[in-house]
């Protein structure tokens, strides 16, 4: 690989850390928002849904404008929006008529950045001149997990040492990362998306491809399987299991992210020796088991173990599905990457939203909400069987 592209790879790694910040920092503050701004759980659910639905809209629209403005301009805008959205969290609740609308506006701004990052980082990494693309993709996605771990661990330490009432100061510190990565991407080389320099398949060509729809089902299920537990892990640990916030954040979302990162780094190291289909199928079964452990176990300790196992099980789902699409449809181009991100973010929105909705119907019982989410690893398993057997 040309040495100049090493800078691009580092920027991609940091880009997924930025994605982890915008997706996972605010969930640590859900109960703080509830107490400080008197926002009920139903409106907290709207913040999650709005984040991923707006990312989904960006995914859909980006197929039409990314090739026109160029990958570099788009990825720079992604990081700027991410930083501005974080800044908005600290300002807009006091500016808007209600704190909830202010938070919703801030979420909307960083969702624009998160959506663009999701569309752009994976293809930018994919087109770098590297060997063993599946391994590189899994390693790339592990940095989302390391970012998630860092967000939870450093935020928890900050809340304990400085105090959670100073969460705005921590938000300013997290802003530094997308701002610095903007400078790195401004100088990093970015290769053409396709081998011949063409935009690749059109959206209509992709939508007429039956295999593409199976890949979309897999991406939706992968995103939902991951975020259904991840987005609610902190709240579940505190409210559902009755433990402290610090312990809940460490034992819930941080353990989840750490094991998810280990799974991705493991495949990134040994992926050339492991059959991807079998690895993903085994992960689906483990995910199903972890959901049942979280929702049906009478022991708080076993439920927390289930949260951790869920992180281990979902590690390969997103990068594995993406790698299958990249190898199956090599001329998919920007439209394919955008639609796959659309499917993944649809799952990221639908998974935690289903958990929140079912929980509300059962008197805020998060265990029942998570039990309902078992449908997602089952659907991914079905998609893998279809792909493996060549049935479209």
């Amino acid at each position: 690989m040309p040495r100049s592209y090493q800078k691009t790879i580092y920027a991609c790694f940091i880009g997924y850390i930025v994605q982890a910040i915008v997706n996972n920092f605010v969930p640590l503050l859900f109960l703080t928002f509830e107490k400080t701004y008197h926002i009920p759980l139903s409106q907290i659910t709207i913040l999650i849904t709005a984040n991923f639905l707006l990312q989904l809209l960006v995914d859909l629209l980006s197929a039409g404008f990314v090739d026109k403005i160029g990958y570099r301009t788009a990825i720079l805008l992604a990081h700027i929006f991410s930083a501005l959205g974080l800044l908005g969290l600290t300002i807009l609740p006091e500016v808007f008529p209600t704190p909830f609308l202010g938070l919703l506006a801030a979420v909307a701004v960083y969702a624009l950045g998160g959506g663009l990052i999701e569309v752009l980082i994976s293809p930018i990494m994919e087109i770098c001149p590297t060997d063993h693309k599946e391994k590189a993709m899994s390693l790339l996605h592990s940095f989302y997990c390391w970012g998630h771990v860092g967000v939870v661990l450093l935020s928890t330490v900050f809340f304990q040492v400085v105090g959670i009432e100073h969460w705005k100061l921590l938000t300013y510190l997290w802003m530094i990362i997308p701002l610095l990565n903007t400078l790195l991407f401004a100088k990093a080389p970015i290769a053409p998306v396709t081998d011949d320099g063409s935009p690749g398949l059109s959206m209509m060509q992709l939508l007429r491809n039956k295999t593409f729809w199976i890949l979309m089902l897999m991406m939706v299920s992968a995103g939902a399987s991951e975020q259904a537990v991840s987005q609610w892990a902190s709240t579940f640990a505190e409210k559902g299991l009755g433990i402290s916030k610090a312990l809940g954040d460490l034992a819930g979302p941080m353990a989840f992210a750490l094991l998810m990162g280990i799974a991705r780094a493991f495949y990134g190291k040994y992926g050339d020796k492991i059959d991807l289909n079998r690895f993903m199928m085994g992960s689906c079964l483990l995910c199903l088991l972890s959901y049942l452990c979280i929702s049906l176990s009478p022991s708080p300790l076993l439920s927390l173990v289930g949260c951790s196992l869920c992180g281990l099980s979902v590690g390969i789902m997103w990068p594995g599905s993406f790698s299958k699409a990249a190898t199956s449809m090599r001329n998919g181009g920007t439209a394919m990457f955008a639609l796959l991100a659309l499917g993944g973010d649809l799952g990221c929105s639908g998974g935690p939203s289903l958990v929140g909705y079912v929980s509300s119907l059962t008197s805020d019982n998060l265990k029942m909400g998570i039990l309902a989410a078992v449908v997602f690893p089952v659907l991914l398993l079905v998609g893998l069987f279809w792909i493996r057997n060549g049935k479209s």
Side-chain angles (χ1 to χ4, degrees), residues 57-284:
L57 180 62
V58 172
D59 297 341
L60 180 62
L61 297 177
S62 62
F65 69 80
V66 166
D67 284 323
K68 294 179 181 178
I69 68 174
Y71 269 53
R72 188 183 306 281
T73 300
I75 196 62
L76 294 179
L77 287 174
H79 285 75
I80 292 171
F81 282 133
S82 298
L84 289 177
L86 291 172
L87 178 63
L89 289 173
T90 68
I91 298 173
L92 298 183
E94 283 79 24
V95 174
F96 276 65
T98 65
F100 171 72
L101 290 178
L103 290 173
L104 189 61
V107 168
V109 174
Y110 72 59
L112 295 177
L116 283 172
I117 286 175
E118 192 56 60
V119 170
L120 298 169
I121 291 293
S122 291
I124 289 174
M125 182 71 171
E126 179 73 22
I127 59 183
C128 284
T130 59
D131 297 326
H132 304 298
K133 298 287 188 181
E134 294 85 355
K135 292 174 58 178
M137 190 61 63
S138 185
L139 182 61
L140 167 68
H141 283 262
S142 75
F143 274 82
Y144 177 86
C145 308
W146 308 138
H148 190 170
V149 171
V151 167
V152 176
L153 181 59
L154 295 177
S155 297
T156 300
V157 171
F158 181 92
F159 295 151
Q160 290 294 304
V161 175
V162 182
I164 197 168
E165 65 274 11
H166 298 293
W167 63 270
K168 291 184 179 182
L169 174 60
L170 180 61
T171 307
Y172 299 140
L173 295 176
W174 287 128
M175 281 176 53
I176 295 173
I177 296 179
L179 292 175
L180 290 179
N181 209 37
T182 303
L183 301 177
L184 186 56
F185 261 120
K187 299 294 184 180
I190 298 177
V193 181
T194 57
D195 294 336
D196 58 3
S198 66
L201 298 176
S202 70
M203 189 175 293
M204 292 308 299
Q205 288 174 314
L206 288 167
L207 295 179
R208 287 194 294 264
N209 188 304
K210 296 177 181 179
T211 300
F212 174 75
W213 282 106
I214 304 301
L215 294 167
M216 280 289 286
L217 171 68
M218 292 169 59
M219 288 298 297
V220 171
S221 303
S225 297
E226 176 182 323
Q227 294 296 329
V229 171
S230 176
Q231 286 291 305
W232 287 106
S234 179
T235 304
F236 172 75
E238 288 183 68
K239 210 163 189 177
L241 304 179
I243 60 180
S244 68
K245 175 171 177 55
L247 181 59
D249 287 348
L250 293 174
M254 198 188 80
F256 178 97
L258 181 62
L259 288 176
M260 184 166 67
I262 288 173
R264 290 176 175 176
F266 175 81
Y267 193 83
K269 176 71 173 177
Y270 301 106
D272 55 332
K273 303 175 183 177
I274 302 172
D275 181 79
L276 182 58
N277 265 321
R278 291 182 179 179
F279 195 70
M280 291 184 70
M281 287 179 180
S283 295
C284 288

